[in-house]
Amino acid sequence: MGDPLLITVAPTGAETAKSDCPQLPTTPEELAATAAECEAAGAAMIHIHVRDAEHRPTLDQGMLREWVAAVRSSSSLVVQLSTGGSVHDPLEERLKVLDAAPDSCSLTMGTTNFGDDVFLNPWPFVAELYQLAQSTGIAPEFELFDLGHVHSLGRLLAKYGPPAGGKVHVDFVMGVPGGMPGTAPALVAGVAALPPGVTSWSATGIGRSTLSVAMASLSMGGHLRVGMEDVLTISRGVPVESNAQLVSRAVELGRLAQRTPMTPAECRTLLGLG
């Protein structure tokens, strides 16, 4: 068999309304149940966007801590908090996400168009967030929406050195309107441009690009992120029933590539967590 396959689940996101997708987990209780189901299905890490009591995206510190605790109460998944929040969240609130003490945090390597909006990540913010992650021992996952972000990652590592745990894990987020396309040639170009300090990488295909990106990543030895943050259909016109359904499909794709799902403990080693 090939190397273990890290499957990260991104169950909620900040874009989809609960009223449009009732099966989307938007409460701590729903997230706890989702975490347990996804771990049983084969996930090792969970990427969390938090919602408030009205199911709206929030960076409220109390709710961030509540959602982190909910996952830890029901599973042993590695907990990764999004520092992206929604595209409307101020930069100073996004920096405070690390105060909720996740195992890992997302760290997007540059500004990108995001549909009709702009996902703002100026260099001073990126550098400050990275240094906060280094000082707290939180493992960053560097989110790359475009080839320019790959170049910025090399610049960041050259200036500030590796993360606290010594491992550099990145995720290509592909298929966002305004970012790199969700195609195999785009992924090949991104991987070829990675700086030498990178120790592992995964790929995420948004919407229709989910399967093509997943299969391209597996063919190149990469890892996968799946979940209802990224896609809401399991096939054309068929709604996703649960996040665990998407994790199970990723496990099956991995099986065809002779990859077995990584455990949360193996994921911790991959990310350089104690």
Side-chain angles (χ1 to χ4, degrees):
M1 299 295 286
D3 293 334
L5 171 65
L6 169 61
I7 299 174
T8 301
V9 61
T12 304
E15 307 300 321
T16 302
K18 180 76 164 181
S19 57
D20 294 333
C21 186
Q23 63 271 43
L24 195 75
T26 58
T27 69
E29 295 78 15
E30 290 173 344
L31 186 72
T34 294
E37 292 166 2
C38 289
E39 182 177 15
M45 181 158 64
I46 187 167
H47 171 81
I48 303 173
H49 287 256
V50 176
R51 302 291 183 99
D52 64 16
E54 282 72 47
H55 310 290
R56 297 173 302 195
T58 181
L59 292 181
D60 175 81
Q61 268 293 317
M63 299 206 72
L64 289 172
R65 293 178 182 276
E66 185 179 4
W67 280 50
V68 169
V71 171
R72 288 175 173 159
S73 72
S74 67
S75 76
S76 58
L77 293 176
V78 175
V79 178
Q80 180 184 99
L81 279 177
S82 169
T83 62
S86 78
V87 293
H88 307 293
D89 286 320
L91 298 180
E92 58 269 21
E93 292 301 314
R94 292 167 56 192
L95 288 171
K96 295 177 183 176
V97 166
L98 273 60
D99 293 343
D103 303 303
S104 175
C105 68
S106 63
L107 202 165
T108 301
M109 285 308 306
T111 296
T112 188
N113 287 330
F114 201 95
D116 295 336
D117 297 302
V118 175
F119 182 25
L120 191 64
N121 295 282
W123 176 257
F125 167 77
V126 170
E128 184 175 359
L129 179 57
Y130 182 48
Q131 291 172 88
L132 283 172
Q134 286 178 312
S135 66
T136 56
I138 293 170
E141 178 181 85
F142 300 96
E143 308 293 343
L144 310 175
F145 286 76
D146 223 330
L147 280 179
H149 294 182
V150 183
H151 174 75
S152 293
L153 174 61
R155 177 186 173 198
L156 188 79
L157 296 174
K159 184 172 179 62
Y160 297 105
K167 300 297 182 70
V168 180
H169 178 71
V170 310
D171 180 46
F172 291 95
V173 184
M174 311 179 70
V176 170
M180 74 176 80
T183 63
L187 184 59
V188 169
V191 173
L194 287 171
V198 171
T199 53
S200 60
W201 61 270
S202 63
T204 304
I206 304 298
R208 295 177 183 176
S209 69
T210 294
L211 281 175
S212 59
V213 168
M215 290 188 282
S217 180
L218 288 169
S219 74
M220 298 170 66
H223 302 285
L224 301 179
R225 188 184 96 174
V226 300
M228 294 174 68
E229 173 175 346
D230 304 321
V231 65
L232 295 172
T233 57
I234 193 70
S235 59
R236 187 184 296 270
V238 180
V240 170
E241 297 174 2
S242 69
N243 282 284
Q245 184 183 27
L246 294 170
V247 172
S248 295
R249 182 172 68 176
V251 170
E252 178 61 16
L253 291 173
R255 186 188 67 79
L256 293 173
Q258 300 187 22
R259 306 274 296 278
T260 55
M262 188 175 288
T263 66
E266 289 174 317
C267 177
R268 289 182 175 276
T269 299
L270 183 86
L271 298 178
L273 293 167

